[in-house]
Amino acid sequence: MAIMTSSMTFQPVLERIAAEIERTPGRGSPADYIPALAARDPRSFGMAVAELDGTVYGVGDWREPFSTQSLTKVFTLALVLAREGDELWEHVGREPSGNPFNSLVQLEYENGIPRNPFINAGALVVTDRLHTRTADAAGELLAFLRSESGNPALDFDQEVAASESAHGDRNAALAHFMAAYGNIGNPIPVLLDQYFRQCSITASCADLALATTFLARHGIRADGGRLLTQSQSKQVNAVMLTCGTYDAAGDFAYRVGLPGKSGVGGGIIAVVPGRCTLCVWSPGLDERGNSVAGVAALDRFTTLTGVSVF
């Protein structure tokens, strides 16, 4: 196994991975419940690596905007944790769910406390708490992503938000159920609008790799200001590792060995603390909602470079 030194560039590694992915048959299928996602070519592929000084390497469709979907849950979690600290963990857990990301099963016997911030129920709680503290959770998130990525053109995709709203009955059920336990503070229609807008943000691999670097810098933002304490940054990375890829987190940790978060738009972000961040995108998903080519590419990256948290 090749081990990278600090003087080596990531570009040859990315080009090798892209060539291998191009030869790989079977890329899964795009999410079909949102028309804008279903229309994406499952053989599209982009990958970017951002170093802590803002240097970005990329390959394939790495500057092509795509629907971030659940990737945004990492950033809303960080924004709430920065404001609330440990109070947040009274309202959402930190354990893998072992169930599909939109499951209602565990909420009843766990008294309306979602298992973790990355399943839909947990993300709704986090968005609700951010909205209570900012009066515009989605707007706060968008401003953060624009700032950290250096791309002021990032925006919501109104078509995707409307499509998710039209198919949002299960999320509405989750929100109402948690509200019955006193774990939601805002009116449900307001919360759902914020949540669907949050998930509709479009960004590229380059944008998202850069936006995630605060987690590799142990909580320090791109402008040098501190968002999270070093301990809080560790907490976010830990929850990403154990809960970030739906109910495939164990397999992802086994194969990739990095904190990561996937989204049904086909994106995955990953963190190498103290070194770099990655974002890979390919719309074809496996049966658990993770990008087939994305997981394979990250697996190859850590194998080829020897870079992981283990």
mmCIF file of all heavy atoms in Angstrom, residues 138-175:
data_model
loop_
_atom_site.group_PDB
_atom_site.id
_atom_site.type_symbol
_atom_site.label_atom_id
_atom_site.label_comp_id
_atom_site.label_asym_id
_atom_site.label_seq_id
_atom_site.Cartn_x
_atom_site.Cartn_y
_atom_site.Cartn_z
ATOM 1 N N ALA A 138 -32.547 27.659 7.200
ATOM 2 C CA ALA A 138 -32.038 27.396 5.853
ATOM 3 C C ALA A 138 -31.162 28.548 5.375
ATOM 4 O O ALA A 138 -30.121 28.333 4.741
ATOM 5 C CB ALA A 138 -33.197 27.156 4.890
ATOM 6 N N GLY A 139 -31.564 29.768 5.665
ATOM 7 C CA GLY A 139 -30.771 30.926 5.277
ATOM 8 C C GLY A 139 -29.437 30.973 5.993
ATOM 9 O O GLY A 139 -28.406 31.329 5.402
ATOM 10 N N GLU A 140 -29.434 30.614 7.270
ATOM 11 C CA GLU A 140 -28.194 30.570 8.045
ATOM 12 C C GLU A 140 -27.242 29.522 7.462
ATOM 13 O O GLU A 140 -26.029 29.759 7.335
ATOM 14 C CB GLU A 140 -28.514 30.236 9.503
ATOM 15 C CG GLU A 140 -27.347 30.356 10.457
ATOM 16 C CD GLU A 140 -27.026 31.787 10.842
ATOM 17 O OE1 GLU A 140 -27.854 32.685 10.565
ATOM 18 O OE2 GLU A 140 -25.945 32.001 11.418
ATOM 19 N N LEU A 141 -27.778 28.375 7.112
ATOM 20 C CA LEU A 141 -26.980 27.316 6.508
ATOM 21 C C LEU A 141 -26.402 27.770 5.174
ATOM 22 O O LEU A 141 -25.202 27.581 4.907
ATOM 23 C CB LEU A 141 -27.832 26.070 6.307
ATOM 24 C CG LEU A 141 -27.223 24.975 5.433
ATOM 25 C CD1 LEU A 141 -25.992 24.377 6.090
ATOM 26 C CD2 LEU A 141 -28.257 23.896 5.123
ATOM 27 N N LEU A 142 -27.233 28.367 4.314
ATOM 28 C CA LEU A 142 -26.761 28.805 3.006
ATOM 29 C C LEU A 142 -25.641 29.839 3.138
ATOM 30 O O LEU A 142 -24.626 29.762 2.431
ATOM 31 C CB LEU A 142 -27.916 29.378 2.193
ATOM 32 C CG LEU A 142 -27.564 29.854 0.781
ATOM 33 C CD1 LEU A 142 -27.030 28.698 -0.069
ATOM 34 C CD2 LEU A 142 -28.790 30.487 0.113
ATOM 35 N N ALA A 143 -25.800 30.773 4.057
ATOM 36 C CA ALA A 143 -24.767 31.788 4.264
ATOM 37 C C ALA A 143 -23.458 31.144 4.710
ATOM 38 O O ALA A 143 -22.369 31.550 4.277
ATOM 39 C CB ALA A 143 -25.239 32.812 5.295
ATOM 40 N N PHE A 144 -23.549 30.145 5.574
ATOM 41 C CA PHE A 144 -22.355 29.442 6.049
ATOM 42 C C PHE A 144 -21.661 28.727 4.889
ATOM 43 O O PHE A 144 -20.436 28.819 4.732
ATOM 44 C CB PHE A 144 -22.746 28.443 7.138
ATOM 45 C CG PHE A 144 -21.592 27.639 7.664
ATOM 46 C CD1 PHE A 144 -20.728 28.171 8.615
ATOM 47 C CD2 PHE A 144 -21.356 26.347 7.220
ATOM 48 C CE1 PHE A 144 -19.656 27.432 9.104
ATOM 49 C CE2 PHE A 144 -20.290 25.600 7.698
ATOM 50 C CZ PHE A 144 -19.432 26.152 8.643
ATOM 51 N N LEU A 145 -22.417 28.013 4.075
ATOM 52 C CA LEU A 145 -21.826 27.278 2.961
ATOM 53 C C LEU A 145 -21.203 28.226 1.937
ATOM 54 O O LEU A 145 -20.133 27.937 1.385
ATOM 55 C CB LEU A 145 -22.877 26.397 2.296
ATOM 56 C CG LEU A 145 -23.374 25.207 3.121
ATOM 57 C CD1 LEU A 145 -24.502 24.484 2.396
ATOM 58 C CD2 LEU A 145 -22.240 24.238 3.420
ATOM 59 N N ARG A 146 -21.859 29.343 1.670
ATOM 60 C CA ARG A 146 -21.278 30.325 0.758
ATOM 61 C C ARG A 146 -19.950 30.844 1.290
ATOM 62 O O ARG A 146 -18.971 30.973 0.552
ATOM 63 C CB ARG A 146 -22.256 31.488 0.555
ATOM 64 C CG ARG A 146 -23.445 31.168 -0.334
ATOM 65 C CD ARG A 146 -24.434 32.319 -0.355
ATOM 66 N NE ARG A 146 -25.490 32.132 -1.355
ATOM 67 C CZ ARG A 146 -26.540 32.938 -1.504
ATOM 68 N NH1 ARG A 146 -26.677 33.994 -0.682
ATOM 69 N NH2 ARG A 146 -27.438 32.696 -2.442
ATOM 70 N N SER A 147 -19.910 31.143 2.582
ATOM 71 C CA SER A 147 -18.707 31.686 3.190
ATOM 72 C C SER A 147 -17.566 30.677 3.184
ATOM 73 O O SER A 147 -16.437 30.989 2.777
ATOM 74 C CB SER A 147 -19.001 32.133 4.620
ATOM 75 O OG SER A 147 -17.835 32.568 5.273
ATOM 76 N N GLU A 148 -17.839 29.455 3.620
ATOM 77 C CA GLU A 148 -16.778 28.467 3.757
ATOM 78 C C GLU A 148 -16.271 27.958 2.399
ATOM 79 O O GLU A 148 -15.101 27.618 2.265
ATOM 80 C CB GLU A 148 -17.252 27.284 4.606
ATOM 81 C CG GLU A 148 -17.576 27.650 6.041
ATOM 82 C CD GLU A 148 -16.424 28.354 6.742
ATOM 83 O OE1 GLU A 148 -15.393 27.708 6.980
ATOM 84 O OE2 GLU A 148 -16.555 29.552 7.046
ATOM 85 N N SER A 149 -17.154 27.896 1.416
ATOM 86 C CA SER A 149 -16.752 27.425 0.086
ATOM 87 C C SER A 149 -16.133 28.539 -0.744
ATOM 88 O O SER A 149 -15.452 28.263 -1.744
ATOM 89 C CB SER A 149 -17.959 26.857 -0.666
ATOM 90 O OG SER A 149 -18.882 27.897 -0.989
ATOM 91 N N GLY A 150 -16.380 29.782 -0.362
ATOM 92 C CA GLY A 150 -15.929 30.912 -1.162
ATOM 93 C C GLY A 150 -16.752 31.108 -2.421
ATOM 94 O O GLY A 150 -16.334 31.831 -3.337
ATOM 95 N N ASN A 151 -17.933 30.498 -2.473
ATOM 96 C CA ASN A 151 -18.790 30.579 -3.662
ATOM 97 C C ASN A 151 -20.111 31.264 -3.304
ATOM 98 O O ASN A 151 -21.021 30.612 -2.788
ATOM 99 C CB ASN A 151 -19.062 29.186 -4.222
ATOM 100 C CG ASN A 151 -19.867 29.226 -5.515
ATOM 101 O OD1 ASN A 151 -20.258 30.296 -5.977
ATOM 102 N ND2 ASN A 151 -20.113 28.063 -6.093
ATOM 103 N N PRO A 152 -20.243 32.572 -3.597
ATOM 104 C CA PRO A 152 -21.478 33.285 -3.252
ATOM 105 C C PRO A 152 -22.665 32.914 -4.129
ATOM 106 O O PRO A 152 -23.789 33.350 -3.870
ATOM 107 C CB PRO A 152 -21.089 34.763 -3.459
ATOM 108 C CG PRO A 152 -19.998 34.722 -4.483
ATOM 109 C CD PRO A 152 -19.240 33.447 -4.223
ATOM 110 N N ALA A 153 -22.433 32.102 -5.171
ATOM 111 C CA ALA A 153 -23.511 31.725 -6.086
ATOM 112 C C ALA A 153 -24.306 30.512 -5.603
ATOM 113 O O ALA A 153 -25.326 30.163 -6.203
ATOM 114 C CB ALA A 153 -22.943 31.441 -7.470
ATOM 115 N N LEU A 154 -23.863 29.852 -4.530
ATOM 116 C CA LEU A 154 -24.628 28.708 -4.013
ATOM 117 C C LEU A 154 -26.046 29.151 -3.681
ATOM 118 O O LEU A 154 -26.269 30.247 -3.166
ATOM 119 C CB LEU A 154 -23.972 28.142 -2.758
ATOM 120 C CG LEU A 154 -22.580 27.529 -2.908
ATOM 121 C CD1 LEU A 154 -22.154 26.902 -1.583
ATOM 122 C CD2 LEU A 154 -22.537 26.512 -4.023
ATOM 123 N N ASP A 155 -27.020 28.280 -3.965
ATOM 124 C CA ASP A 155 -28.410 28.681 -3.737
ATOM 125 C C ASP A 155 -29.292 27.452 -3.583
ATOM 126 O O ASP A 155 -28.865 26.313 -3.791
ATOM 127 C CB ASP A 155 -28.913 29.529 -4.907
ATOM 128 C CG ASP A 155 -29.942 30.573 -4.470
ATOM 129 O OD1 ASP A 155 -30.525 30.439 -3.352
ATOM 130 O OD2 ASP A 155 -30.169 31.523 -5.230
ATOM 131 N N PHE A 156 -30.542 27.724 -3.217
ATOM 132 C CA PHE A 156 -31.559 26.681 -3.139
ATOM 133 C C PHE A 156 -32.033 26.323 -4.548
ATOM 134 O O PHE A 156 -32.002 27.143 -5.456
ATOM 135 C CB PHE A 156 -32.761 27.154 -2.322
ATOM 136 C CG PHE A 156 -32.417 27.647 -0.952
ATOM 137 C CD1 PHE A 156 -32.509 29.001 -0.643
ATOM 138 C CD2 PHE A 156 -32.008 26.771 0.041
ATOM 139 C CE1 PHE A 156 -32.195 29.461 0.624
ATOM 140 C CE2 PHE A 156 -31.685 27.225 1.307
ATOM 141 C CZ PHE A 156 -31.782 28.578 1.594
ATOM 142 N N ASP A 157 -32.493 25.092 -4.727
ATOM 143 C CA ASP A 157 -33.146 24.661 -5.956
ATOM 144 C C ASP A 157 -34.634 24.545 -5.652
ATOM 145 O O ASP A 157 -35.074 23.598 -4.997
ATOM 146 C CB ASP A 157 -32.576 23.315 -6.411
ATOM 147 C CG ASP A 157 -33.135 22.866 -7.760
ATOM 148 O OD1 ASP A 157 -34.329 23.095 -8.016
ATOM 149 O OD2 ASP A 157 -32.367 22.265 -8.541
ATOM 150 N N GLN A 158 -35.378 25.518 -6.101
ATOM 151 C CA GLN A 158 -36.799 25.583 -5.749
ATOM 152 C C GLN A 158 -37.573 24.383 -6.288
ATOM 153 O O GLN A 158 -38.525 23.927 -5.667
ATOM 154 C CB GLN A 158 -37.411 26.897 -6.268
ATOM 155 C CG GLN A 158 -36.734 28.148 -5.740
ATOM 156 C CD GLN A 158 -36.778 28.260 -4.222
ATOM 157 O OE1 GLN A 158 -37.636 27.679 -3.558
ATOM 158 N NE2 GLN A 158 -35.831 29.014 -3.655
ATOM 159 N N GLU A 159 -37.166 23.871 -7.450
ATOM 160 C CA GLU A 159 -37.840 22.702 -8.018
ATOM 161 C C GLU A 159 -37.676 21.486 -7.113
ATOM 162 O O GLU A 159 -38.631 20.746 -6.848
ATOM 163 C CB GLU A 159 -37.283 22.397 -9.410
ATOM 164 C CG GLU A 159 -37.901 21.160 -10.052
ATOM 165 C CD GLU A 159 -37.209 20.748 -11.339
ATOM 166 O OE1 GLU A 159 -36.295 21.468 -11.782
ATOM 167 O OE2 GLU A 159 -37.575 19.688 -11.894
ATOM 168 N N VAL A 160 -36.458 21.273 -6.624
ATOM 169 C CA VAL A 160 -36.206 20.141 -5.739
ATOM 170 C C VAL A 160 -36.951 20.314 -4.425
ATOM 171 O O VAL A 160 -37.562 19.366 -3.903
ATOM 172 C CB VAL A 160 -34.689 19.984 -5.492
ATOM 173 C CG1 VAL A 160 -34.431 18.956 -4.386
ATOM 174 C CG2 VAL A 160 -33.996 19.548 -6.774
ATOM 175 N N ALA A 161 -36.932 21.528 -3.860
ATOM 176 C CA ALA A 161 -37.633 21.778 -2.596
ATOM 177 C C ALA A 161 -39.127 21.507 -2.753
ATOM 178 O O ALA A 161 -39.758 20.891 -1.878
ATOM 179 C CB ALA A 161 -37.394 23.209 -2.134
ATOM 180 N N ALA A 162 -39.704 21.950 -3.859
ATOM 181 C CA ALA A 162 -41.137 21.730 -4.093
ATOM 182 C C ALA A 162 -41.438 20.250 -4.274
ATOM 183 O O ALA A 162 -42.460 19.745 -3.781
ATOM 184 C CB ALA A 162 -41.588 22.518 -5.320
ATOM 185 N N SER A 163 -40.557 19.546 -4.956
ATOM 186 C CA SER A 163 -40.755 18.114 -5.173
ATOM 187 C C SER A 163 -40.686 17.356 -3.856
ATOM 188 O O SER A 163 -41.495 16.452 -3.602
ATOM 189 C CB SER A 163 -39.700 17.588 -6.152
ATOM 190 O OG SER A 163 -39.925 16.226 -6.441
ATOM 191 N N GLU A 164 -39.726 17.716 -3.005
ATOM 192 C CA GLU A 164 -39.623 17.054 -1.704
ATOM 193 C C GLU A 164 -40.842 17.365 -0.839
ATOM 194 O O GLU A 164 -41.323 16.501 -0.107
ATOM 195 C CB GLU A 164 -38.335 17.487 -1.007
ATOM 196 C CG GLU A 164 -37.096 17.016 -1.735
ATOM 197 C CD GLU A 164 -35.896 16.912 -0.822
ATOM 198 O OE1 GLU A 164 -36.012 16.261 0.236
ATOM 199 O OE2 GLU A 164 -34.851 17.470 -1.176
ATOM 200 N N SER A 165 -41.325 18.590 -0.926
ATOM 201 C CA SER A 165 -42.508 18.959 -0.150
ATOM 202 C C SER A 165 -43.718 18.146 -0.589
ATOM 203 O O SER A 165 -44.525 17.692 0.234
ATOM 204 C CB SER A 165 -42.783 20.458 -0.313
ATOM 205 O OG SER A 165 -43.925 20.841 0.409
ATOM 206 N N ALA A 166 -43.838 17.931 -1.897
ATOM 207 C CA ALA A 166 -44.972 17.171 -2.432
ATOM 208 C C ALA A 166 -44.913 15.705 -2.036
ATOM 209 O O ALA A 166 -45.937 15.017 -2.046
ATOM 210 C CB ALA A 166 -45.011 17.307 -3.951
ATOM 211 N N HIS A 167 -43.718 15.225 -1.706
ATOM 212 C CA HIS A 167 -43.550 13.826 -1.299
ATOM 213 C C HIS A 167 -43.088 13.734 0.154
ATOM 214 O O HIS A 167 -42.405 12.787 0.536
ATOM 215 C CB HIS A 167 -42.546 13.125 -2.209
ATOM 216 C CG HIS A 167 -42.967 13.053 -3.643
ATOM 217 N ND1 HIS A 167 -42.776 14.090 -4.527
ATOM 218 C CD2 HIS A 167 -43.586 12.065 -4.352
ATOM 219 C CE1 HIS A 167 -43.251 13.747 -5.706
ATOM 220 N NE2 HIS A 167 -43.749 12.532 -5.631
ATOM 221 N N GLY A 168 -43.484 14.711 0.977
ATOM 222 C CA GLY A 168 -42.940 14.829 2.319
ATOM 223 C C GLY A 168 -43.802 14.311 3.442
ATOM 224 O O GLY A 168 -43.619 14.709 4.599
ATOM 225 N N ASP A 169 -44.745 13.413 3.137
ATOM 226 C CA ASP A 169 -45.671 12.949 4.166
ATOM 227 C C ASP A 169 -44.966 12.255 5.326
ATOM 228 O O ASP A 169 -45.316 12.429 6.497
ATOM 229 C CB ASP A 169 -46.716 12.011 3.556
ATOM 230 C CG ASP A 169 -47.694 12.734 2.646
ATOM 231 O OD1 ASP A 169 -47.816 13.969 2.782
ATOM 232 O OD2 ASP A 169 -48.317 12.072 1.797
ATOM 233 N N ARG A 170 -43.958 11.453 5.024
ATOM 234 C CA ARG A 170 -43.271 10.731 6.097
ATOM 235 C C ARG A 170 -42.491 11.690 6.993
ATOM 236 O O ARG A 170 -42.494 11.542 8.218
ATOM 237 C CB ARG A 170 -42.349 9.649 5.531
ATOM 238 C CG ARG A 170 -41.712 8.789 6.610
ATOM 239 C CD ARG A 170 -40.909 7.659 6.008
ATOM 240 N NE ARG A 170 -41.759 6.622 5.445
ATOM 241 C CZ ARG A 170 -42.147 5.544 6.118
ATOM 242 N NH1 ARG A 170 -41.765 5.363 7.377
ATOM 243 N NH2 ARG A 170 -42.908 4.640 5.556
ATOM 244 N N ASN A 171 -41.854 12.685 6.390
ATOM 245 C CA ASN A 171 -41.166 13.679 7.212
ATOM 246 C C ASN A 171 -42.151 14.458 8.069
ATOM 247 O O ASN A 171 -41.864 14.795 9.224
ATOM 248 C CB ASN A 171 -40.354 14.632 6.326
ATOM 249 C CG ASN A 171 -39.078 13.997 5.816
ATOM 250 O OD1 ASN A 171 -38.370 13.328 6.555
ATOM 251 N ND2 ASN A 171 -38.779 14.187 4.538
ATOM 252 N N ALA A 172 -43.307 14.759 7.509
ATOM 253 C CA ALA A 172 -44.343 15.441 8.294
ATOM 254 C C ALA A 172 -44.789 14.556 9.457
ATOM 255 O O ALA A 172 -44.994 15.041 10.580
ATOM 256 C CB ALA A 172 -45.528 15.789 7.396
ATOM 257 N N ALA A 173 -44.924 13.259 9.195
ATOM 258 C CA ALA A 173 -45.320 12.339 10.257
ATOM 259 C C ALA A 173 -44.270 12.308 11.363
ATOM 260 O O ALA A 173 -44.604 12.328 12.560
ATOM 261 C CB ALA A 173 -45.536 10.941 9.680
ATOM 262 N N LEU A 174 -42.991 12.257 10.985
ATOM 263 C CA LEU A 174 -41.910 12.277 11.979
ATOM 264 C C LEU A 174 -41.979 13.535 12.827
ATOM 265 O O LEU A 174 -41.855 13.491 14.059
ATOM 266 C CB LEU A 174 -40.556 12.204 11.270
ATOM 267 C CG LEU A 174 -40.181 10.888 10.587
ATOM 268 C CD1 LEU A 174 -38.972 11.088 9.681
ATOM 269 C CD2 LEU A 174 -39.896 9.802 11.617
ATOM 270 N N ALA A 175 -42.158 14.669 12.167
ATOM 271 C CA ALA A 175 -42.191 15.944 12.886
ATOM 272 C C ALA A 175 -43.378 16.027 13.832
ATOM 273 O O ALA A 175 -43.245 16.447 14.995
ATOM 274 C CB ALA A 175 -42.217 17.097 11.890
#
